[in-house]
Amino acid sequence: MDDLFPPSNLLSRCIDIAPQARVKVESAPEIGGERILLEGGELLFSEHFFSDKVCKRMIEYLQESRNFQWKVVDWAQVPADQLKEVEFENVNWKQDYIKFFGKTHPLPRLTAWYGDKGASYAYSGIRSDPNPWNDGLLYLKARLEAALDVTFNSVLLNWYRDGSDSLNWHADDEPELGTCPTIASVSFGETRQFLFKPKNASKTQLSFDLLPGSLVVMKGETQQNWVHSVPKRKGVKGSRFNLTFRNIRVV
């Protein structure tokens, strides 16, 4: 095992690897970034896969509204009942709820699900039927498919309105995704940390600072052996939009 996972020099300043993590880092020219070989998984990472111009337009595109002052509003202060009245131009954002210890709680982020007809998805007791693709999502999808030589039929959008919105430790291992899915995660807006650890570990082993336009691709057996999270960060005041492109098994 020592020969398989020798020490490596990091190419990106946005990756932090814990001393106990056994990984190998290689160049990934297809995305202008790094390939990170894990014990039981594989990641690709690019700091700036999408240009600043694309990032700026996508941040606007994802929150444009016909009846709301979307350029100046503090979205974290908009209650769920008022959110339902917002006429978003491009994305049908929604507030989902989960049951925890017999009580219903709002999911600590807004979500939307888009994809091919029949590409429905269920996680944490929440079932989502796909909205039809729009031009902005198809543009991102085409860029990712060309670089990764993978076909995606769906995308989950997460809107972290500020540092109070988060994502708990989990793996994307739902049956609809298959055993070794390729999931491409792109980010726009505020920089947030993206953490990884083995399923049987107690401490984080990898941390990514996801800048606007960054890309993380989870491949191979990653979902079987690793979990990931986006922790709360009090100092983050603005929005981060995360889009994870997937291939759902359509029955």
Side-chain angles (χ1 to χ4, degrees):
M1 291 300 293
D2 289 337
D3 292 335
L4 184 59
F5 294 98
S8 303
N9 293 322
L10 293 181
L11 302 179
S12 172
R13 60 186 172 85
C14 292
I15 306 173
D16 184 22
I17 298 180
Q20 72 270 24
R22 300 172 65 82
V23 305
K24 181 179 179 180
V25 181
E26 303 175 342
S27 176
E30 67 271 27
I31 62 167
E34 292 81 49
R35 174 174 291 101
I36 304 171
L37 302 178
L38 312 170
E39 290 186 291
E42 179 182 349
L43 305 174
L44 301 176
F45 177 67
S46 176
E47 286 185 27
H48 298 290
F49 184 81
F50 290 106
S51 68
D52 290 343
K53 181 179 179 180
V54 172
C55 291
K56 181 179 179 181
R57 178 63 191 121
M58 286 307 302
I59 291 170
E60 296 174 343
Y61 187 85
L62 293 169
Q63 58 183 313
E64 287 173 337
S65 167
R66 293 182 289 271
N67 68 336
F68 216 71
Q69 297 296 319
W70 60 272
K71 292 184 178 181
V72 297
V73 67
D74 180 356
W75 287 106
Q77 302 303 316
V78 179
D81 56 348
Q82 188 176 1
L83 183 72
K84 295 179 181 179
E85 304 302 321
V86 179
E87 298 176 5
F88 289 105
E89 291 273 5
N90 306 304
V91 178
N92 292 326
W93 292 106
K94 61 176 181 174
Q95 174 67 75
D96 280 322
Y97 295 83
I98 56 175
K99 286 188 176 181
F100 190 66
F101 290 119
K103 296 183 178 180
T104 301
H105 303 271
L107 208 66
R109 58 195 177 276
L110 304 181
T111 63
W113 180 252
Y114 281 74
D116 294 353
K117 185 177 180 180
S120 299
Y121 187 48
Y123 64 97
S124 299
I126 301 168
R127 177 182 170 85
S128 296
D129 294 319
N131 293 287
W133 292 101
N134 59 40
D135 290 342
L137 298 179
L138 286 173
Y139 170 82
L140 301 179
K141 176 176 177 287
R143 288 282 308 277
L144 292 168
E145 290 178 336
L148 301 172
D149 193 25
V150 175
T151 299
F152 298 110
N153 68 1
S154 51
V155 58
L156 175 64
L157 294 81
N158 284 299
W159 182 351
Y160 301 85
R161 293 157 292 184
D162 63 11
S164 297
D165 280 352
S166 61
L167 181 66
N168 291 330
W169 288 110
H170 75 288
D172 296 320
D173 54 4
E174 292 79 14
E176 302 98 313
L177 295 171
T179 56
C180 293
T182 295
I183 299 175
S185 172
V186 297
S187 297
F188 304 103
E190 292 289 328
T191 299
R192 293 290 294 268
Q193 281 188 308
F194 191 41
L195 309 182
F196 278 87
K197 67 178 182 179
K199 284 187 175 180
N200 60 354
S202 59
K203 295 183 179 180
T204 298
Q205 291 197 4
L206 291 94
S207 174
F208 297 86
D209 288 332
L210 299 185
L211 305 174
S214 63
L215 166 67
V216 177
V217 182
M218 298 174 280
K219 302 180 63 178
E221 297 180 344
T222 302
Q223 304 303 330
Q224 297 181 35
N225 301 308
W226 291 72
V227 291
H228 51 275
S229 72
V230 178
K232 296 180 184 292
R233 289 292 181 261
K234 291 183 179 180
V236 177
K237 303 302 181 183
S239 291
R240 173 207 175 215
F241 299 92
N242 174 246
L243 293 77
T244 51
F245 288 80
R246 306 149 184 256
N247 192 27
I248 295 291
R249 292 180 174 180
V250 178
V251 178

